[in-house]
Amino acid sequence: MASPSKAGAALAALREELVGDVFAPLDAGYDEARTVFNAMIDKRPAVIAQCVNEDDVVRAVRFGRDLDLNIAVRGGGHSVAGSAVNDNGLVIDLRHMRAVSVDPAAEAVRIAGGATMADLDRACQPHGLATTGGRVSTTGVGGFLLGGGTGWLDRCFGLAVDNLLGVELVTADGERVHASADENPELFWGLHGGGGNFGVATAFTLKLHALPEFSMALLLYLPEFGREVTRTYRELIAAAPDEASGGVIYLTGPPEDFVPPHLVGSLLCAALLTYAGPEEDMRKLAEPLLALPHEQEIVGAMPYADVQCMLDDPPGMRNYWSAEYLTGAPDEYLDVFCAGGEALPPSATIQVLFPQGGAIAAGPHEYPVPYRDAPWAVHPFAIWEDPADDERCRQWVRDVCAGARPYSTGDVYLNFIGDEGTDRVKAGLGAENFQRLAGLKRRYDPDNVFRFNHNIAPA
């Protein structure tokens, strides 16, 4: 570590040179700047550099290297593991870098590294264009994309990384690198799932797709109908076109407009059918779900960007998530899934079973996203407020995953999990891919500067 005098001089220089703001622990605004989405994470960085452009990022990386500080990178701050912050190190905060530029003629979009899904979706909506985004609007595009990227449009348009055209990166040496299929192709390959291991992604270019219409059906059922709902949804998706997605969701009725007042606070089973097309086609597809006894329905055309905001998870809550990717969804597993839903801790916690297939399975298999071929995934997503509930909620997540394990492919989407150890990181990237990624890490980050992530050690 640097001497106090050197550190003080370097910090003063950073404050002078950076266009954006710099926060140290005694500065007003520091606590707000270090707070992330998951309230279980309470880290105290030595310095937070809120960058506003790529030059700021270069300055911040070089500052961190000069002082031998650990470096964390913050995009949306949505990582359940708290990867966006650290203790006693440097946080490079990209939240002021949110520009989105749509090129309708080229059907492409350029997104700055700190943009959220809402920034991306709202910019594309007026053009009748979209690309695969996350399932909530507050997720940061960068972390989501570099981790693979799954959402309501993936069966139709592929995983988010399947639409990646280029990345602007600042490396551990503070150098600027562009990665695409033609330029630094090996690095480009690694950025398809390898996360933030290779540098600070300051901008992305993505392919867009025409999405003139979007529609959905959200139906709420009493939990005693859960098994019938889940089986009906499975059969519906098996015969559905790739435009259809969604999932079956167990939840406690939140105090939202779409929940009847008498069901707020009650355990519910929901079926969500999303459709990248007109309402008329979606309604025909939804008929078997509509025929089941239900308590509430929201059915109709709705702008995609609005649907993206419907299920936003509240900030400031305690979070613990995991996932298992499944070889199938036979009746015996659906019984296990429903039993897990019926054991849901009463909070904002949800359990989701969602389909894959379509363009996900048909997409390029050379990238480090081994979960591509799994037809289904289960995602237990514990969200609660009281620290006294920590162990109960974490154990419920573990129990859901344990119940799914006999049906698991062994692969996992790393954006859905916290710190579950190196073996799970390998499961999220594929064993063969992991060795290749470790070589790439040695080339671009031999000192493992970017380690606050699902880490790939240089080898």
Side-chain angles (χ1 to χ4, degrees):
M1 295 293 289
S3 67
S5 59
K6 179 182 177 182
L11 179 59
L14 184 68
R15 290 187 193 275
E16 181 69 26
E17 295 170 2
L18 214 71
V19 178
D21 295 322
V22 176
F23 293 95
L26 297 180
D27 293 338
Y30 169 80
D31 282 330
E32 183 179 357
R34 72 183 180 89
T35 300
V36 291
F37 169 81
N38 185 358
M40 295 184 79
I41 308 300
D42 185 21
K43 300 288 180 68
R44 299 189 64 84
V47 179
I48 300 170
Q50 294 191 331
C51 303
V52 300
N53 55 37
E54 192 176 54
D55 288 342
D56 272 3
V57 174
V58 170
R59 291 186 189 102
V61 169
R62 290 177 177 170
F63 164 83
R65 296 306 308 275
D66 287 347
L67 297 185
D68 196 25
L69 292 173
N70 289 330
I71 300 176
V73 182
R74 177 170 185 160
H78 232 268
S79 160
V80 68
S83 300
V85 286
N86 58 25
D87 281 320
N88 304 313
L90 168 67
V91 171
I92 296 178
D93 186 343
L94 305 178
R95 283 178 295 167
H96 292 302
M97 298 172 61
R98 297 175 65 163
V100 180
S101 177
V102 180
D103 185 341
E107 294 194 330
V109 59
R110 189 177 191 276
I111 312 128
T116 65
M117 213 56 62
D119 297 324
L120 171 60
D121 296 334
R122 294 293 180 195
C124 295
Q125 184 88 46
H127 304 284
L129 297 168
T131 194
T132 299
R135 292 175 172 86
V136 295
S137 69
T138 52
T139 301
V141 174
F144 163 81
L145 182 60
L146 294 173
T150 169
W152 306 129
L153 296 175
D154 54 11
R155 281 171 40 87
C156 190
F157 299 151
L159 296 170
V161 285
D162 297 345
N163 296 285
L164 186 60
L165 300 175
V167 183
E168 305 294 333
L169 202 74
V170 175
T171 68
D173 291 331
E175 300 298 325
R176 303 165 205 253
V177 175
H178 178 259
S180 67
D182 299 321
E183 192 174 350
N184 298 304
E186 182 70 1
L187 175 60
F188 188 59
W189 171 84
L191 295 171
H192 284 70
N197 274 284
F198 309 109
V200 185
T202 58
F204 306 90
T205 303
L206 290 171
K207 180 170 60 177
L208 295 174
H209 304 265
L211 188 67
E213 296 182 271
F214 194 82
S215 50
M216 58 154 284
L218 176 64
L219 294 96
L220 301 182
Y221 306 85
L222 296 178
E224 53 261 39
F225 296 103
R227 283 164 174 76
E228 192 174 357
V229 169
T230 308
R231 285 166 170 72
T232 301
Y233 182 83
R234 177 192 62 190
E235 301 308 317
L236 181 157
I237 284 292
D242 294 348
E243 286 80 5
S245 189
V248 178
I249 307 165
Y250 275 88
L251 73 162
T252 302
E256 301 285 353
D257 291 343
F258 67 87
V259 179
H262 70 284
L263 292 178
V264 171
S266 298
L267 179 66
L268 298 167
C269 178
L272 174 65
L273 177 65
T274 61
Y275 194 77
E279 177 183 348
E280 180 183 2
D281 294 347
M282 182 275 298
R283 281 187 177 272
K284 289 178 184 174
L285 199 58
E287 284 175 359
L289 293 170
L290 288 162
L292 298 176
H294 53 279
E295 304 299 305
Q296 176 74 304
E297 63 178 69
I298 301 172
V299 184
M302 185 180 291
Y304 169 68
D306 291 353
V307 174
Q308 286 285 73
C309 302
M310 278 190 64
L311 298 176
D312 282 357
D313 29 7
M317 302 284 278
R318 303 173 79 76
N319 282 253
Y320 186 81
W321 319 337
S322 194
E324 293 292 336
Y325 279 68
L326 309 173
T327 57
D331 286 352
E332 57 267 27
Y333 172 68
L334 296 187
D335 289 342
V336 171
F337 170 76
C338 292
E342 289 160 4
L344 198 80
S347 59
T349 294
I350 62 174
Q351 181 190 213
V352 186
L353 178 70
F354 61 85
Q356 293 217 117
I360 306 168
H365 278 66
E366 65 267 25
Y367 296 128
V369 282
Y371 48 86
R372 182 186 294 280
D373 289 328
W376 290 91
V378 61
H379 182 24
F381 193 113
I383 312 169
W384 68 102
E385 196 164 11
D386 188 348
D389 290 331
D390 283 3
E391 189 48 42
R392 178 179 66 150
C393 291
R394 285 188 293 218
Q395 189 58 50
W396 173 80
V397 170
R398 296 184 193 113
D399 289 345
V400 168
C401 288
R405 216 149 280 140
Y407 309 91
S408 173
T409 64
D411 305 316
V412 68
Y413 172 49
L414 294 176
N415 285 352
F416 276 170
I417 70 170
D419 183 1
E420 297 185 10
T422 302
D423 286 346
R424 283 284 266 178
V425 175
K426 289 180 180 178
L429 299 167
E432 290 185 14
N433 294 327
F434 193 80
Q435 291 304 311
R436 183 175 168 187
L437 289 163
L440 194 62
K441 178 77 168 181
R442 184 180 66 246
R443 177 178 171 187
Y444 284 96
D445 185 15
D447 300 321
N448 204 9
V449 170
F450 300 112
R451 70 186 69 172
F452 293 94
N453 44 43
H454 290 294
N455 194 236
I456 302 164

